Amino acid sequence: MNRKCPRISGLAAGLAMLGATAAGAADLAPIVEAPIAEVPAASSPWQIRVRGVGVITEDSGSVNGVAGSDLSYSDSVIPELDISYYFTDNIAAELILGTTFADIDEDGAVGVPVGRAWLLPPTLTLQYHFTDFGAFKPYVGAGVNYSMFYNQSERGGFHNLDVENAFGVALQVGFDYMLDEHWGVNFDVKKIFLETDWSADHDSLGALSGKAKIDPWLIGGGITYRF
């Protein structure tokens, strides 16, 4: 009769118990699921900017029939509100709103002050935004401007000053530096090519008219908020 060795029997029993314990532990172990990546919410296509803008004019113009005549316009600093809509991450349209005034002087052959005109120049630009530089987001743009002159007043013997509304072309370059998802700082430069007709009556010179070539630079900086 064959008799099993006690040591071998004990080892087999121990291995069986160990296997049963491991199987039970496996049954009790919690199931760990792979984490699901969060999908970031889509950002709003709307953005606003508030800027302080310096308006620097070109100072050029003429009085019809007066040789050597020239016009100059005062510069100003104004607040500006800009509303942007992003069609894609790269393409946006921006509506630029602000108002200012300019003192108009004839500082050529006649050498007299003419008057003051307020100007509302809403400007719409189509922009391309570069998105490969992280928080630094430069852009370029081009568009159209419609300048409306209002609340016109005269000086120096002039009456019935009329500076006509006119269309112009706008070019733009700038950048946003985003501090977080919504807030950023902005720097922006625009050039508006604006030439219009004007007319006025003068006490001693009679009826006058001419061209006012303003062509202002708009240089500004401010705060950006992306909804």
Side-chain angles (χ1 to χ4, degrees):
M1 176 182 291
N2 294 329
R3 301 181 63 183
K4 294 181 179 180
C5 175
R7 291 183 178 180
I8 294 175
S9 299
L11 179 59
L15 291 174
M17 291 179 64
L18 181 60
T21 302
D27 292 338
L28 296 175
I31 299 175
V32 179
E33 297 181 355
I36 300 175
E38 293 184 2
V39 178
S43 59
S44 167
W46 292 100
Q47 177 179 277
I48 62 172
R49 297 187 183 94
V50 178
R51 299 188 183 107
V53 175
V55 182
I56 304 171
T57 58
E58 185 172 295
D59 292 345
S60 179
S62 62
V63 180
N64 292 336
V66 179
S69 61
D70 194 15
L71 297 180
S72 64
Y73 323 95
S74 60
D75 301 330
S76 60
V77 177
I78 63 169
E80 184 181 271
L81 173 66
D82 307 301
I83 304 171
S84 298
Y85 184 87
Y86 283 77
F87 301 101
T88 69
D89 288 341
N90 300 104
I91 305 297
E94 182 180 69
L95 178 62
I96 302 159
L97 300 172
T99 189
T100 185
F101 68 86
D103 291 325
I104 306 168
D105 295 301
E106 202 297 316
D107 54 5
V110 181
V112 294
V114 176
R116 171 179 290 185
W118 282 82
L119 171 63
L120 178 65
T123 303
L124 182 65
T125 61
L126 185 66
Q127 302 171 331
Y128 184 85
H129 292 253
F130 300 89
T131 57
D132 300 328
F133 304 100
F136 178 67
K137 300 183 182 299
Y139 58 85
V140 294
V144 62
N145 157 268
Y146 185 67
S147 293
M148 296 177 283
F149 296 88
Y150 67 98
N151 198 23
Q152 302 177 47
S153 58
E154 302 84 11
R155 297 179 299 166
F158 281 91
H159 307 281
N160 303 319
L161 175 64
D162 181 23
V163 183
E164 295 185 5
N165 301 342
F167 283 98
V169 174
L171 300 179
Q172 180 182 35
V173 62
F175 67 85
D176 292 305
Y177 188 86
M178 301 306 295
L179 305 176
D180 59 27
E181 182 182 356
H182 297 289
W183 292 97
V185 294
N186 173 261
F187 179 77
D188 183 89
V189 177
K190 290 181 285 291
K191 176 67 172 179
I192 298 178
F193 297 91
L194 174 61
E195 182 175 332
T196 185
D197 296 318
W198 69 273
S199 62
D201 297 324
H202 191 267
D203 289 339
S204 59
L205 300 174
L208 299 174
S209 62
K211 291 284 187 181
K213 187 176 181 181
I214 303 172
D215 290 354
W217 289 93
L218 280 67
I219 303 173
I223 301 297
T224 296
Y225 184 79
R226 182 75 180 266
F227 290 94

